[in-house]
Amino acid sequence: MIVYIITTLLATGIAFTSDILYKSTQNISVKKIGIIISAIPPIWVASIRYNVGTDYITYSNFQFPTVLSGQDKNFDLVEPLYQVIIYIGNFFDNNFMFYGYPYQWIFILTHILIVGFVFYGIYLQIEYISLPILLFFISNFYFTSLNAMRQGIGIAIFFFALQYIFSKDWKRYFFWCAIATGFHISSIMFFPIYFITLFSKKVYAWTLCIPIFLLFIANQLAPILLKLAINFSPKYVKYFIVDYNIGLSRSSFVVLLIILLIFYFCFHNGSERQKTLYIIQLLLTIITSLGAVYPQSSRIVYSLLITVCLSIPELYKMSKYSKTTRFLITSFLIILLIIYCEIQFSAGRNELLPFQNIGGK
């Protein structure tokens, strides 16, 4: 656990130092250098891990060999763009083997893409980088990406592409969603999110009742949702027969509902961008309300919770609140997300503990 804490503090500390220098100099090069150096700790930790993450063995012992042996030419197992990463990583493994471990370059390239797209999205969309980089970790996105790697690339690309939702550039947004889908089929869910801007003119208080209502009728919806999900993605059927912890789902729901209430209070009379961020959080909370009867919801939460890297910094810069008020609200949200992240770790989600590296195993 200490490795993850140090990585979080180191990356955030570098970004915070960069923010201080950037604020005093207004030199964009300072921000560029800061975001690049801040990306090194999470990429390095992801690169040197050994047998960390539920899918580590699945990738190493099954997916990578299957692709490299030419047995997945129809992309039934692994999507086409990730197969490109596998082949490139294999080339580096054959010529520059990393500490003598096969497939390690594939893991390295995977997290260069994940961290790279998220951090570049932060650089382009947010003035000061330390808060969103902290949120990148405590939202549990980074830690889940050590397991769900292909999906992590798709989500990172979606996060980068969010700028085109706000600028209403549907062509570029759909282009990047198509690229994301080439890494993981679940990214197809990002296409309709563009149209949430059609509903962001006004935010209504009654929308807060939707996730609570769904929580109470979740058992009745379960058979319908499971049938739809399995029919849509049969190769992921295993996720729907796993016995997930209901208490874990409920705890996550409470945390995300509180965040939703705060976002409503702060954003309902705000800009279109702020209302759009509220609606994304509403979708996230709705999905979590179904978590106890719809296990795959945890994967969708993983897909959308990364947006707090935009929404909480957006809240912090709202001038209609005093600096003290903004600081207190932001601090409370950070504590909530740390609790959420701790819930996931305590439940053993993603099998990230104990951390092992390729040097000492």
Side-chain angles (χ1 to χ4, degrees):
M1 187 69 175
I2 191 66
V3 172
Y4 300 128
I5 294 173
I6 291 173
T7 303
T8 302
L9 294 177
L10 186 58
T12 306
I14 293 169
F16 183 70
T17 303
S18 171
D19 281 347
I20 293 173
L21 295 174
Y22 175 62
K23 187 173 183 179
S24 62
T25 64
Q26 290 301 301
N27 185 343
I28 196 65
S29 296
V30 172
K31 184 178 177 181
K32 288 179 182 177
I33 294 171
I35 201 81
I36 292 170
I37 299 176
S38 297
I40 294 174
I43 292 174
W44 178 252
V45 168
S47 301
I48 65 170
R49 76 189 194 278
Y50 174 81
N51 198 18
V52 173
T54 307
D55 284 349
Y56 185 97
I57 296 299
T58 302
Y59 275 77
S60 299
N61 293 353
F62 179 53
Q63 291 191 3
F64 294 161
T66 300
V67 170
L68 292 171
S69 63
Q71 298 179 55
D72 191 33
K73 293 181 179 179
N74 293 326
F75 312 116
D76 295 323
L77 179 65
V78 177
E79 290 80 359
L81 291 184
Y82 196 68
Q83 290 204 16
V84 173
I85 299 302
I86 291 173
Y87 280 109
I88 294 174
N90 186 61
F91 169 80
F92 281 108
D93 276 329
N94 291 334
N95 294 276
F96 316 99
M97 186 169 282
F98 191 78
Y99 283 86
Y101 284 81
Y103 307 133
Q104 210 63 33
W105 270 106
I106 304 174
F107 292 114
I108 295 170
L109 293 176
T110 296
H111 268 80
I112 286 175
L113 287 174
I114 292 173
V115 178
F117 270 106
V118 173
F119 278 38
Y120 190 41
I122 288 171
Y123 171 79
L124 292 175
Q125 299 180 73
I126 305 170
E127 185 175 13
Y128 297 106
I129 62 175
S130 54
L131 178 55
I133 286 178
L134 173 63
L135 295 168
F136 167 74
F137 292 99
I138 65 173
S139 67
N140 205 44
F141 173 79
Y142 171 70
F143 304 117
T144 304
S145 76
L146 296 175
N147 172 29
M149 295 183 292
R150 292 177 5 250
Q151 187 181 0
I153 297 176
I155 299 166
I157 294 172
F158 159 69
F159 179 81
F160 164 79
L162 278 170
Q163 60 187 300
Y164 302 119
I165 286 185
F166 302 127
S167 64
K168 299 188 184 304
D169 188 344
W170 66 269
K171 292 181 181 179
R172 291 186 181 183
Y173 178 75
F174 285 169
F175 168 78
W176 284 109
C177 284
I179 296 295
T181 305
F183 284 101
H184 198 271
I185 189 62
S186 69
S187 297
I188 200 169
M189 66 173 281
F190 297 136
F191 284 92
I193 289 179
Y194 180 85
F195 299 102
I196 66 173
T197 56
L198 301 176
F199 304 98
S200 59
K201 303 297 182 183
K202 188 169 179 61
V203 168
Y204 298 96
W206 60 263
T207 57
L208 294 169
C209 300
I210 298 174
I212 299 173
F213 173 73
L214 290 175
L215 183 69
F216 286 104
I217 66 167
N219 288 328
Q220 287 70 39
L221 289 175
I224 301 171
L225 292 172
L226 293 178
K227 185 176 180 179
L228 286 172
I230 292 171
N231 287 339
F232 175 72
S233 55
K235 75 175 181 177
Y236 294 109
V237 65
K238 62 181 179 179
Y239 294 116
F240 304 109
I241 58 176
V242 174
D243 182 21
Y244 281 87
N245 187 307
I246 293 178
L248 175 64
S249 176
R250 293 291 186 256
S251 300
S252 300
F253 173 74
V254 171
V255 170
L256 295 176
L257 181 62
I258 294 171
I259 294 175
L260 179 69
L261 290 169
I262 293 172
F263 282 1
Y264 174 79
F265 173 77
C266 296
F267 292 160
H268 73 282
N269 285 325
S271 66
E272 189 171 315
R273 174 188 174 94
Q274 291 163 358
K275 292 173 183 175
T276 298
L277 289 169
Y278 166 79
I279 293 173
I280 293 176
Q281 183 68 28
L282 175 62
L283 291 172
L284 175 60
T285 312
I286 287 171
I287 292 161
T288 312
S289 70
L290 302 171
V293 297
Y294 186 32
Q296 181 71 352
S297 67
S298 62
R299 287 271 181 154
I300 306 176
V301 170
Y302 170 44
S303 296
L304 294 178
L305 192 54
I306 185 68
T307 58
V308 297
C309 294
L310 294 180
S311 51
I312 294 179
E314 182 73 23
L315 186 156
Y316 186 73
K317 72 178 186 180
M318 294 181 72
S319 58
K320 70 176 183 178
Y321 301 114
S322 69
K323 200 167 186 178
T324 301
T325 300
R326 283 180 281 151
F327 176 78
L328 290 174
I329 295 174
T330 302
S331 298
F332 180 68
L333 288 169
I334 288 172
I335 292 170
L336 276 179
L337 286 171
I338 290 174
I339 292 171
Y340 172 82
C341 195
E342 174 59 25
I343 289 171
Q344 309 305 311
F345 267 95
S346 297
R349 182 64 62 85
N350 298 310
E351 298 182 9
L352 301 177
L353 297 174
F355 181 82
Q356 303 175 88
N357 64 69
I358 56 178
K361 295 189 180 181

